[in-house]
Amino acid sequence: MATISSHIAVMTFPFASHPSALLNLVRRLAASFPTVRFSFLSTAKSNQAIFSGQHYDNIKPYDVSDGLPEGYFFAGNVHEPLEAFMKAIPGNFKEGMQEAEAEAGVKVRCLLTDAFFAFGGEMAEAMGVPWIAFWVGGPCSLSAHIHTDPIRSTVGDIDTAQNAEQTLNFIPGMSKIQIRDLPEGIIDPREMPIAHELHDMGLKLPQATAVVLNSYEEIDLTIITDLKTKLKKVLSVGPLTLTLSSPSKSDESGCLPWLDKHKAASVAYISFGTILVPPRSELVALAEAIEASGVPYLWSLPDHSRNHLPQGFVERTSTRGMVVSWAPQLQVLAHSSVGIHITHSGWNSVLESISYAVPMICRPFFADNMLNCRMVGDVWEIGVRVEDGILTKSGTMKAIQLLLSDDKGKELKENIRLLKDSAVKAVGSNGSSAKNFETLEDIIGSCC
Ligand code: UDP
């Protein structure tokens, strides 16, 4: 790298798809500002996962403490690493930033943080630099967090179990969202370990110089218009993956050559994201549905869950199916053979499915999954939620049949094709995302 002209500290929430989503934004910015150093602060585990085999001239990873005691053994409680990390912030980031400044010999002139970090506002203010917050989810979930107080005051005193289907028609663009779709902790903070931090985030984000989203305006115009009245600057710059060249991981399992052998739009691609493990009973039901429906499938399933599949399933379906521990999802969804995406409805997965016009069967599990699933099924009409919200053999078979053969499936396919076209337009020259990215460049350029 040439002489470092300026320095941006990037602070990541080191769980699930958050670091790789933020890295996508940083990769684009780093290409626009080749002499600016981007110090990417995350835990060693997360940095190792997303930087392995990758090198970027002006992006430098720095490991910060994960807050876990020396020799910590992960025994399966996912809350432990999360709670330890939340106790370590912001001290661990301050230390990491000092190290990065000393090494670069240039002071940090801008903070780019995961929007989860409300402390970013105070830190940036104390340093006299802009705070750019990156929201990893979609506009709908951001709106739910920004409106947490009105939601609590409007529905907080009713029996939410009894009124689970009540809609949020008092929030612009959210009239089809039901109480039961909200992420855990929005109504009852006791449901979620970091609910207080997320509430705090909703209150602090209006101070951010800009809130950047991996989305595009046309997909949720009403929500975005409302968010623009609450936040200083809302910059939807996505889908980022449509603007980046190389994939994050290679095709070690040979998914792409395998897909080449199948007919157009015939394969069901199955994945539940980076951290989620569906219950064994649902994995069994899904496998049974896949086997009975005869659909070709490509299943991204972590090794530790493989033994939950029914005995002999992989062997019996080996001529038309493949189970891998990780798939190059972007290229898989871009492949012409893939016709269905069975997903937990994580935001990145939904946006990637839209980017390549693959209709979805959604089985939402946690966080923003239920909101995204509602948008997919009832607002954009580009997929279906599995019957009764859980994977059963008959419900999944019905959904597969609907997407592959029924007229309704054709309609969903057409809807997602139109949405994909608008996504492509948004990132193209003069598109809304392209213009928002220029605004972001101006903000960064003015402090660098
Ligand atoms: N992903 C992938 N290969 C896999 C499984 C997941 O590339 O085998 C990627 C996927 O492309 C997406 C991310 O992991 O970018 C999952 O993000 P999402 O927001 O959908 O879910 P999360 O993991 O945060 O629950």
Side-chain angles (χ1 to χ4, degrees), residues 308-369:
H308 290 178
L309 295 175
Q311 189 135 36
F313 163 77
V314 174
E315 295 73 22
R316 287 194 301 277
T317 56
S318 63
T319 54
R320 61 176 172 90
M322 178 146 136
V323 181
V324 298
S325 56
W326 183 262
Q329 182 164 308
L330 279 178
Q331 292 114 301
V332 165
L333 291 171
H335 198 287
S336 58
S337 298
V338 175
I340 303 180
H341 184 188
I342 302 182
T343 171
H344 67 310
S345 338
W347 178 247
N348 292 292
S349 294
V350 168
L351 197 60
E352 289 161 15
S353 232
I354 291 171
S355 301
Y356 298 105
V358 182
M360 286 159 268
I361 296 175
C362 301
R363 179 359 182 158
F365 282 90
F366 74 131
D368 64 349
N369 297 176

Side-chain angles (χ1 to χ4, degrees), residues 168-240:
L168 301 185
N169 52 12
F170 52 95
I171 302 177
M174 305 276 272
S175 59
K176 294 219 168 146
I177 302 297
Q178 302 178 5
I179 290 179
R180 61 178 169 176
D181 302 329
L182 287 169
E184 306 81 0
I186 295 258
I187 293 186
D188 182 355
R190 288 166 304 183
E191 284 176 343
M192 161 88 171
I194 58 167
H196 291 295
E197 285 83 353
L198 294 179
H199 181 218
D200 209 21
M201 167 194 76
L203 300 175
K204 293 275 168 53
L205 281 181
Q207 292 170 21
T209 312
V211 177
V212 180
L213 284 93
N214 180 24
S215 182
Y216 61 101
E217 298 200 343
E218 292 76 9
I219 198 174
D220 288 313
L221 217 42
T222 314
I223 298 180
I224 288 292
T225 306
D226 174 59
L227 288 173
K228 283 182 179 172
T229 66
K230 311 263 174 327
L231 305 170
K232 278 189 196 155
K233 249 198 193 345
V234 183
L235 300 175
S236 303
V237 298
L240 282 165

Side-chain angles (χ1 to χ4, degrees), residues 116-433:
F116 272 19
F117 299 145
F119 72 77
E122 283 143 38
M123 204 185 249
E125 200 179 346
M127 293 163 67
V129 302
W131 173 36
I132 297 168
F134 179 60
W135 179 250
V136 171
C140 182
S141 55
L142 178 57
S143 175
H145 287 287
I146 292 290
H147 289 100
T148 294
D149 281 339
I151 292 173
R152 283 184 186 168
S153 59
T154 310
V155 301
D157 52 355
I158 63 170
D159 181 341
T160 47
Q162 290 273 323
N163 295 279
E165 291 177 13
Q166 181 178 321
T167 60
L168 301 185
N169 52 12
F170 52 95
I171 302 177
M174 305 276 272
S175 59
K176 294 219 168 146
I177 302 297
Q178 302 178 5
I179 290 179
R180 61 178 169 176
D181 302 329
L182 287 169
E184 306 81 0
I186 295 258
I187 293 186
D188 182 355
R190 288 166 304 183
E191 284 176 343
M192 161 88 171
I194 58 167
H196 291 295
E197 285 83 353
L198 294 179
H199 181 218
D200 209 21
M201 167 194 76
L203 300 175
K204 293 275 168 53
L205 281 181
Q207 292 170 21
T209 312
V211 177
V212 180
L213 284 93
N214 180 24
S215 182
Y216 61 101
E217 298 200 343
E218 292 76 9
I219 198 174
D220 288 313
L221 217 42
T222 314
I223 298 180
I224 288 292
T225 306
D226 174 59
L227 288 173
K228 283 182 179 172
T229 66
K230 311 263 174 327
L231 305 170
K232 278 189 196 155
K233 249 198 193 345
V234 183
L235 300 175
S236 303
V237 298
L240 282 165
T241 47
L242 284 182
T243 65
L244 289 163
S245 48
S246 58
S248 53
K249 287 198 180 175
S250 62
D251 183 19
E252 279 157 24
S253 309
C255 300
L256 303 174
W258 183 86
L259 285 171
D260 287 342
K261 295 186 204 132
H262 289 84
K263 280 201 233 143
S266 66
V267 176
Y269 168 63
I270 308 164
S271 167
F272 298 103
T274 53
I275 49 168
L276 195 109
V277 186
R280 184 180 197 142
S281 57
E282 291 196 53
L283 288 179
V284 169
L286 175 55
E288 286 173 353
I290 292 287
E291 188 165 1
S293 65
V295 67
Y297 71 91
L298 172 62
W299 193 335
S300 167
L301 185 70
D303 288 339
H304 57 79
S305 291
R306 238 179 203 250
N307 61 353
H308 290 178
L309 295 175
Q311 189 135 36
F313 163 77
V314 174
E315 295 73 22
R316 287 194 301 277
T317 56
S318 63
T319 54
R320 61 176 172 90
M322 178 146 136
V323 181
V324 298
S325 56
W326 183 262
Q329 182 164 308
L330 279 178
Q331 292 114 301
V332 165
L333 291 171
H335 198 287
S336 58
S337 298
V338 175
I340 303 180
H341 184 188
I342 302 182
T343 171
H344 67 310
S345 338
W347 178 247
N348 292 292
S349 294
V350 168
L351 197 60
E352 289 161 15
S353 232
I354 291 171
S355 301
Y356 298 105
V358 182
M360 286 159 268
I361 296 175
C362 301
R363 179 359 182 158
F365 282 90
F366 74 131
D368 64 349
N369 297 176
M370 292 77 73
L371 286 177
N372 300 335
C373 170
R374 178 72 59 197
M375 298 300 283
V376 166
D378 293 4
V379 179
W380 304 318
E381 298 186 41
I382 55 173
V384 290
R385 176 175 182 260
V386 280
E387 200 173 67
D388 300 327
I390 60 163
L391 294 160
T392 60
K393 182 177 173 186
S394 66
T396 309
M397 284 178 74
K398 268 192 225 160
I400 292 172
Q401 157 84 19
L402 184 139
L403 255 61
L404 285 184
S405 338
D406 293 0
D407 284 347
K408 179 76 183 160
K410 290 196 191 100
E411 202 182 304
L412 301 178
K413 179 95 188 153
E414 177 58 11
N415 291 344
I416 200 165
R417 197 187 58 71
L418 293 172
L419 219 47
K420 172 214 162 140
D421 289 348
S422 60
V424 171
K425 213 165 147 196
V427 295
S429 72
N430 275 326
S432 56
S433 291

Side-chain angles (χ1 to χ4, degrees), residues 11-15 40-47 61-70 72 80-97 99 117 119:
M11 299 181 180
T12 71
F13 180 71
F15 302 101
F40 197 91
L41 311 175
S42 193
T43 58
K45 188 174 170 201
S46 151
N47 276 339
Y62 284 90
D63 296 344
V64 300
S65 166
D66 56 15
L68 290 165
E70 192 111 345
Y72 168 80
E80 278 174 7
L82 177 61
E83 281 166 7
F85 180 77
M86 293 312 278
K87 281 192 192 133
I89 62 169
N92 56 351
F93 281 122
K94 281 187 185 151
E95 271 174 33
M97 195 163 60
E99 187 191 336
F117 299 145
F119 72 77

